[in-house]
Amino acid sequence: DNVDAAKRQLLDSLLERMQLLLVTAAARKLPSNESMLNTHSWSLLHSACAVPCPLALVHLACCNDTKSLRIPDVHMGRLPLHYAAARPGYRATISVGVSREVRTMVESYPAIVVALQCKEATRVVDANHQLPLHILIDTVKQENNNHGASVVSKLLSFYADSLERRDGKTLLYPFLQAAHGSNASVNLSF
C-alpha cells in the first residue's frame, strides 16, 4: 500500500512537471499574439500533442489525462487529436555522453497514439471546421514521406465517412485536398 502510494505520488509529481514544461514549450511555439491566449488553459495532453516531444510523453499523457481527450481548447475548439494531427513525427539527434557519437531517434506521427485512445475524436471539427483528417493530410503533405499515407489510412479506418466531409479552410474533400497544390501526394489521393 505504501509503495503504491509512493509510486502514485511520484507519477503525479512527474505529470505536474511535464505539464509545466510542455505548456511553456507550446506557448513559445505559437505566434506571440496567440500563445498566452491559447495555452494558459491547456491540459497536459493538449500540450504534449502540440509540441515536438517523444511519443512516450504523448502516450503517458493519454493514459493519465483521459478526460482531456474529449475537451476542446477555448480558442480554436481543438481536441488534442487536432494538435497531434498537425504535428509530424518526432526526430531528434542526441549526443551520447561526452563522446562524439550521436544517435538519431525517429518516431511516427502522434495522431495515431491519440486516436487509438479516443476514436470518436476523429469525428469532431474545430473552429475552422476541420476534422483531424484534414489537418493530418496537410501535415503529411508538408513532410512528403511515404509513411504518412499509412497514418492517414489508419485515421480513416476510425471514421470512413470523413472522406465525405469538406475541409473548412479549402472546402475540398480529403482526396482532392491530398491531390491539390505543389506538394500534392499521389499516395494520399486514396
Side-chain angles (χ1 to χ4, degrees), residues 85-120:
R87 203 184 106 190
Y90 179 73
R91 181 182 181 92
T93 302
I94 304 162
S95 298
V96 179
V98 293
S99 71
R100 292 179 185 242
E101 181 184 351
V102 295
R103 292 193 183 148
T104 301
M105 179 182 357
V106 179
E107 297 181 329
S108 182
Y109 295 79
I112 296 306
V113 171
V114 180
L116 284 169
Q117 297 294 321
C118 185
K119 293 175 183 163
E120 62 270 18

Side-chain angles (χ1 to χ4, degrees), residues 134 165-177 180:
H134 299 128
R165 304 279 304 270
R166 291 179 187 257
D167 179 297
K169 284 185 171 181
T170 64
L171 302 179
L172 297 173
Y173 290 104
F175 70 94
L176 290 172
Q177 180 187 357
H180 183 287

Side-chain angles (χ1 to χ4, degrees), residues 60-74:
L60 184 64
C62 279
C63 293
N64 288 282
D65 190 13
T66 56
K67 68 181 185 303
S68 292
L69 285 163
R70 293 165 186 82
I71 298 175
D73 70 3
V74 294

